Structures are given as C-alpha cells and as structure tokens.
Amino acid sequence: MRQVVGLTSTYSSDEFGVCSALYELGGMVVMHDASGCNSTYTTHDEPRWYDQDSMIFISAISEMEAIMGDDDKFIEDLVQTANELKPRFIALVGAPIPYMMGTDFDAIAQIVEERTGIPSFGFMTNGMQYYPNGISMAMERIVDFYCTEKKETQQNTVNILGATPLDFSINGSVESIQEWLKSNGYTVNCTLAMNCSLEDIQNMSKASINLVVSTGGLKAAKLLESRFGIPYVVGVPYGKKFASKLLEKLKLKKTSLGWDRKQVKKEKHLALIGEAVTSISLACAMEEENDVSVIVLDPLNENNELYRTLDVYVPEEDDVMEQIKSVDGIIADPLYKALCSNKEFYPYAHVAFSGRIFEKDLPNLINTEMKRK
Amino acid sequence: MKKIAIYGKGGIGKSTIVSNLSVTLAKKGYKVLQIGCDPKADSTLYVRQGKPLNTVLAVMRTNNKDMKLEDVICTGEAGVICVEAGGPIPGMGCAGRGIITALEKLETLGIYKQYDFDYVFYDVLGDVVCGGFSMPMRKGYADEVYIVTSGENMSIYAAANIASAVQGFKGRGYATLGGFILNERNVKREQEKVEELVQDFESKLVGIIPRCDIIQEAEENKKVYVTYEQEETPCKSSLETLAEALIC
C-alpha cells in the first residue's frame, strides 16, 4: 500500500528541523500552528528541552483566525513578545494550517522586523517534509544573513555543519567530533548548530575547510563555498579506519565526499536505514573494519549526489520492506524491528525517528573501533 | 522584466484583455509570458489557438519529480509563451493553495531565468478570495496590479475589494496598484462611476476598452481579437494604447 506507514513510525518534520537547528542561537522561534501535536517537538524530538532554555513558541492559531486569515493578531503577538524578550532574531516557522492558507511568512517577518528592529526570518515549512529540509533551510538562511564578511583564513581551522540532536542526540557524539578534529591538529571554529553562538556564525568565514556531518548542513556548506571559496568534505568520523580516511580527505582541502562511491557486495550483506550522511559514514566505518557490505536505505530525501552504488532512496515503508528482502540483517532504529521479524536486527536509535525513547541506549561511535567480535 | 498581475470580477474580460495585450506586445518584438492563474485553465485558450497545454498542477500530480518546463508551456501566437496553473478536481482540494504551489514550481523550474522575458502577465481568477489568490502580487512576483472593471455595480464592488486588498498589503513589499482598466458594458454613467472608484483609491484609469462584438466573433473562431480584426477599429486602437501605457 503506497504512502502508508503501517508498522513503523514517521520522522520528525521540517518545522522541527528548523527549531532544532536554531535552538541554541538566542532567537525567538515561533511555530505558527494550533497548539497540541506540535508539543511532540518538546516532548520527543528535543532532548535539550528540559536542561537548556530556548525561546521556542507555538502561536496557537485558532480555527477562526485560520478561516479569516487574521495575520494581524499573529503579528501583534510577535511584536509584543519580542519587545519583552528581546531575542537576537525572530524565526517564523510554517506548519500545515498556514501552508494551506498560504500565509506569507516572509512578508510577516518583514513587518515584524520593521516594527521591532530585530532581524526576522520566515521559514516556509509545512510539516509534510522531513526534518533535514528544515535544518537545511534554517542553516542556509542564518549563515546567509550573519556570515557576510570575509575574515582572514586561519589554516587548519574547520567548521562543522549540520549538527543537531535529531541526528546526533546529546550523547557526546558532537563533542567527540570536535575532539577528534582537535587531536588531529585542527581548530574547531563553529559547530553549526550545537554549542554555537551567532558570533561563531559571523566568524565562519575564517575556516579553511568545512566538515558536513548531515544532509541538513549541505546547503550552508555550498553557500560558504560559493561566497568565500571554503571547500567542504562530507562525512562523520565513525570508526577508526573511516575516520582516518575522512581525515585524509580533509587534508586535501578540496570539496569531496568522505567516501568512495563504488561499493562491492560481500557475502555478508546488511542494510542500514537512516539519514544519508550519518548512515553512509557509519556504513563505510563498518565495511572498513569488517568483511561485510552495508547498503544505506534513505527514507528521507533522494540524495543521489551522496549515494554509493548500492545505496537507495526508500520513500515508502513498502520500499524498505522490498529492499530488506535481499539482505542478511538490518541496522536501524528499534522501531523498524516490526518490519524485520525474520532477519537479524541490530538496533541503532535515531532521535528523529523514535524521539527520546531509546536515547540512553544510543552509543557514541565517533572514532571508535567498529570491528565486530 | 516587468511583471503585471491582472485582477477583476469573474467574467469581466480579464483573459480577453490580457491575451490581446500579450499578443500586441509580442508583435512589437517583446518576449511575453502569460500565466493563467485560474483552475479553469482558460486564460491562454485563444493565444494558443487550440493547441493543447497541460496545466502545471496536472503535471505535478502525475510526474512532479521529473517535471520539466517544456511539459507545461506552449508557444502561442506571435511567440507568446503560455502557461496555465490549473487547479484541483472541481469541488475538491484548495484552488488558492494550488496557485501558490504552481507559481512556486514555475520559479523552481527556472521559468523566469530560462527565458529572457520582457513582460510577464498573471491573469488571476476573479476576486482575491483567499491567501492563494494574492500570490501573484507577492514579493518576487508581480510589480504592479491592474484591475479590470466595467461600470456595473457588482464589478465596481469587486474592483474596490481587490484594490483594498492591495492597499492592505502595504508594508509587505507586495505589488503596487498600477491602476484600473475600464472594459465597457455600456451601462449608464459608466466612465463616471469608474472614475469615482479610481479617485477613491487615488489611482488612475489606464485604459478604456469600448464594447465590441467582434471580440466574441474572434473567440468563436479561436482567435485573439487584435489578430482576427483586420480593420483599424476604436477597440483595437484602445488595446494598443493600453499596451503602451502598461510598458511605459
């Protein structure tokens, strides 16, 4: 059955991707939607919610406001709240109701910016796309606005792009990437967008290279390349051997994928389901240290520019079921186990899929031995 | 490139006027794009002279991923490029949202970049009934809005509503009100009534198109009037004058 998720869960939406990407930057982020199901973001998809303050709000649009297209109330609420809280910026995040109403977020942001003097951005998310689209949109826009000046390039200085808890949880993986870079002679300039400030973003043009750790960071990396000529390497340093290969790519100072696209099927053949950059990196790490081939099944977006020869886009649950018929085992979030009853299943939690349910079981695999005993 | 959105009450003659303007300007050597923003998808009917055209939304529905500009454009009379946004199944879905999606898709496909247009016309359905139908006047789309009206009260009422909407969007960076076009229906005090409307909005009357039965005859023959009519007539001359007014 097409376009039906019958046995598993669904991924976090694009609006939550924007919220996650902007969480630590000191802005006021407002999802324009009815109150209710958006609390999924705070209760499930945002591990920082209870420990770290952020100005994330829901506008709580009412039925009549939606029917009447009453933008004025939304604008008044935004202006009043912004004047009280004095955020660094204001982000307006779209959801299904304003999407169908045709709410013009850019125009509202323009009015709010004029009235408050605070930089304001409209994000045309709709809750029907997945979180990487939202992360991508937010990171590109914020870099575009704040990183405009070319600073003197500092050699062996790197920005990490695309880091959010939706892909990396808060299990120390992002800190481990930073440590790995430092231990290899790099200075970490800005990690977009965890442990990061707007000032860090303004200084991103100092970097000699960017490391893109999720698809959400790709557009910002391309922008920095076109604006300042900073090359980027795509990959996450999972495993010892793959991390070493990724390091060699960084040293070349050229835009490239962190992996070879040619892939050979081995006798032991596994599938890994998840976001393209993190999953391909992890698959490569496993292949480097074990006699196994691991194909990536990407349920989020068709990322042909990233896939190796056997990786594939699986937009539907049916596509996943079809693809896993021919593998010996599956590595995926535990909620995928329902599809894999007759196969070996290796749980690997993904916050963007199962929220915080399995958070404590999520291992930090950055620059660690991947050899299966 | 100048982008112009034409609004007005349903049935007031917007598509007829836009089609004649498109062909008139194209015959002067300008590169013109006409986008029908109505689920009925009949704006460009006579410019295309019967050539079939798939609407943007129809193609998106069946082949969104591999869709190309060539799938949704048709070169009409005098080289006018024709596009129809289309709409949902009648009685279903959301036509306004459809207009937004179709216009965004055209931009994503690079229609404005791929062709070096001098003039783009958005021929928009009836009144500004919801957020979707204000899309053609949003930032990045039309530069100016022109409203077609006759002297009939209902038409003037609709025109005033549209003009109020344009003024209400002040501060959003939307298109400005370029003026009103009188499409005569030969009602009493017609020009006087429309001029009062124009004054109310401190705007201008940019053209007066006299009533002309040959327009219907041309359309019966699936032709645009300015091409079908071989003689120099007051109506033809008024369309020519209007075209000149819009491009200056």
Side-chain angles (χ1 to χ4, degrees):
Chain A
M1 198 182 296
R2 307 302 291 178
Q3 297 184 321
V4 168
V5 176
L7 297 169
T8 62
S9 180
T10 55
Y11 283 89
S12 193
S13 73
D14 54 358
E15 52 183 310
F16 298 171
V18 172
C19 294
S20 187
L22 301 180
Y23 193 88
E24 299 183 19
L25 301 179
M28 183 173 96
V29 180
V30 184
M31 288 182 263
H32 189 32
D33 204 2
S35 188
C37 55
N38 291 294
S39 61
T40 311
Y41 171 65
T42 62
T43 55
H44 291 73
D45 292 357
E46 184 44 80
R48 297 166 292 192
W49 186 254
Y50 296 105
D51 302 315
Q52 193 173 352
D53 287 340
S54 183
M55 290 178 272
I56 305 270
F57 296 96
I58 308 272
S59 66
I61 187 172
S62 70
E63 186 179 351
M64 283 313 291
E65 285 158 18
I67 292 167
M68 301 303 286
D70 189 359
D71 287 347
D72 289 346
K73 180 181 178 295
F74 182 41
I75 291 166
E76 288 306 321
D77 287 350
L78 288 166
V79 170
Q80 187 182 334
T81 312
N83 284 337
E84 280 176 26
L85 297 177
K86 311 226 175 301
R88 301 287 303 275
F89 62 87
I90 299 166
L92 314 179
V93 187
I97 293 171
Y99 174 76
M100 290 309 297
M101 287 157 52
T103 302
D104 189 347
F105 284 101
D106 285 335
I108 293 174
Q110 183 176 324
I111 293 169
V112 171
E113 182 169 316
E114 278 170 16
R115 288 184 56 184
T116 61
I118 299 169
S120 301
F121 312 101
F123 292 102
M124 307 293 257
T125 47
N126 60 20
M128 291 178 242
Q129 305 292 319
Y130 290 130
Y131 72 98
N133 300 53
I135 295 173
S136 178
M137 207 183 279
M139 289 190 173
E140 183 187 33
R141 191 79 173 272
I142 220 82
V143 168
D144 184 35
F145 185 82
Y146 286 101
C147 188
T148 52
E149 189 186 335
K150 176 63 189 156
K151 306 275 172 76
E152 190 178 343
T153 302
Q154 296 181 0
Q155 291 308 311
N156 298 326
T157 298
V158 59
N159 297 315
I160 300 168
L161 281 77
T164 70
L166 288 167
D167 285 320
F168 292 93
S169 185
I170 48 171
N171 67 351
S173 293
V174 172
E175 290 79 359
S176 295
I177 297 171
Q178 293 168 333
E179 284 305 316
W180 170 76
L181 286 163
K182 286 176 194 168
S183 66
N184 285 292
Y186 284 95
T187 301
V188 178
N189 187 45
C190 172
T191 301
L192 192 68
M194 291 173 77
N195 308 315
C196 168
S197 67
L198 286 181
E199 286 69 26
D200 294 335
I201 294 170
Q202 283 168 336
N203 288 324
M204 285 180 95
S205 59
K206 283 181 187 172
S208 56
I209 193 148
N210 289 323
L211 178 64
V212 179
V213 295
S214 79
T215 46
L218 265 174
K219 278 192 175 172
K222 287 177 181 175
L223 174 66
L224 289 167
E225 184 179 48
S226 66
R227 187 173 284 177
F228 303 115
I230 305 172
Y232 61 89
V233 173
V234 182
V236 183
Y238 288 128
K240 284 283 181 193
K241 286 189 177 174
F242 179 68
S244 295
K245 284 199 162 184
L246 192 60
L247 186 64
E248 293 307 311
K249 295 268 187 176
L250 280 172
K251 285 178 182 169
L252 293 175
K253 299 178 189 171
K254 283 183 182 167
T255 291
S256 70
L257 297 178
W259 49 81
D260 297 328
R261 300 189 77 166
K262 193 175 174 193
Q263 204 180 3
V264 179
K265 190 174 175 181
K266 301 276 181 68
E267 193 176 330
K268 177 90 171 174
H269 189 53
L270 304 175
L272 194 161
I273 306 171
E275 186 276 336
V277 173
T278 50
S279 297
I280 295 173
S281 300
L282 186 56
C284 290
M286 295 170 70
E287 288 176 348
E288 288 287 345
E289 299 184 38
N290 300 277
D291 190 18
V292 64
S293 55
V294 184
I295 60 161
V296 167
L297 308 182
D298 178 358
L300 294 162
N301 284 306
E302 190 165 18
N303 292 291
N304 290 322
E305 63 177 327
L306 303 175
Y307 297 153
R308 301 163 302 160
T309 41
L310 301 176
D311 299 332
V312 60
Y313 173 50
V314 284
E316 311 282 352
E317 198 175 80
D318 284 0
D319 299 323
V320 177
M321 292 165 85
E322 186 61 35
Q323 288 293 331
I324 61 178
K325 281 181 187 167
S326 59
V327 300
D328 302 311
I330 298 109
I331 306 141
D333 185 279
L335 293 183
Y336 272 110
K337 194 166 192 319
L339 298 183
C340 314
S341 55
N342 57 348
K343 302 276 181 181
E344 276 186 74
F345 187 83
Y346 307 95
Y348 183 65
H350 188 181
V351 172
F353 194 63
S354 56
R356 297 194 299 218
I357 301 173
F358 308 106
E359 195 183 9
K360 65 178 187 310
D361 303 324
L362 186 60
N364 175 355
L365 300 174
I366 302 298
N367 194 30
T368 56
E369 293 278 349
M370 295 290 291
K371 185 137 186 89
R372 187 168 165 79
K373 289 162 189 162
Chain B
M1 177 168 53
K2 185 174 181 180
K3 296 178 182 167
I4 294 165
I6 305 288
Y7 284 79
K9 183 179 176 296
I12 199 61
K14 295 180 297 295
S15 299
T16 299
I17 290 174
V18 171
S19 299
N20 280 285
L21 290 173
S22 293
V23 172
T24 300
L25 290 173
K27 284 181 172 175
K28 289 175 184 291
Y30 294 114
K31 192 79 179 161
V32 181
L33 168 65
Q34 181 173 333
I35 304 176
C37 303
D38 185 328
K40 293 195 302 299
D42 56 359
S43 169
T44 60
L45 198 59
Y46 304 119
V47 184
R48 285 185 273 128
Q49 298 173 318
K51 285 186 206 166
L53 175 59
N54 292 316
T55 69
V56 178
L57 290 176
V59 176
M60 284 181 78
R61 192 158 178 243
T62 54
N63 189 26
N64 191 17
K65 191 181 145 206
D66 300 319
M67 180 175 171
K68 297 179 195 68
L69 265 184
E70 293 69 34
D71 299 333
V72 292
I73 65 170
C74 169
T75 304
E77 195 178 341
V80 174
I81 302 292
C82 303
V83 174
E84 296 283 356
I89 298 159
M92 311 284 276
C94 178
R97 179 63 233 178
I99 297 296
I100 296 174
T101 301
L103 292 184
E104 286 176 346
K105 187 69 182 182
L106 288 170
E107 189 161 21
T108 305
L109 292 173
I111 193 164
Y112 306 112
K113 287 180 186 165
Q114 188 164 326
Y115 298 87
D116 190 19
F117 291 114
D118 298 299
Y119 296 98
V120 176
F121 286 104
Y122 301 95
D123 177 15
V124 191
L125 165 153
D127 209 337
V128 193
V129 290
C130 70
F133 292 99
S134 69
M135 183 68 175
M137 64 174 83
R138 289 185 183 179
K139 194 173 187 176
Y141 292 92
D143 307 300
E144 290 178 344
V145 170
Y146 291 89
I147 303 169
V148 180
T149 184
S150 70
E152 294 160 303
N153 288 348
M154 297 300 271
S155 173
I156 288 179
Y157 188 72
N161 263 345
I162 297 160
S164 297
V166 177
Q167 289 189 339
F169 290 136
K170 199 175 173 185
R172 291 186 174 218
Y174 283 15
T176 53
L177 181 60
F180 292 83
I181 298 163
L182 168 56
N183 193 22
E184 288 186 334
R185 292 287 171 88
N186 294 343
V187 299
K188 284 183 183 170
R189 294 178 51 244
E190 186 155 47
Q191 189 168 336
E192 188 185 334
K193 285 164 79 177
V194 172
E195 278 175 350
E196 280 171 20
L197 169 72
V198 170
Q199 279 176 12
D200 286 347
F201 288 95
E202 296 175 345
S203 186
K204 58 188 173 188
L205 187 58
V206 290
I208 300 174
I209 314 298
R211 182 92 184 150
C212 174
D213 293 339
I214 308 299
I215 290 179
Q216 278 72 41
E217 192 180 307
E219 293 180 352
E220 282 290 316
N221 287 281
K222 295 187 168 44
K223 294 268 172 61
V224 173
Y225 168 73
V226 290
T227 305
Y228 181 79
E229 176 60 83
Q230 299 298 310
E231 306 294 323
E232 287 306 312
T233 65
C235 184
K236 208 170 170 182
S237 166
S238 69
L239 286 162
E240 177 79 24
T241 307
L242 178 60
E244 290 292 338
L246 295 191
I247 66 175
C248 66

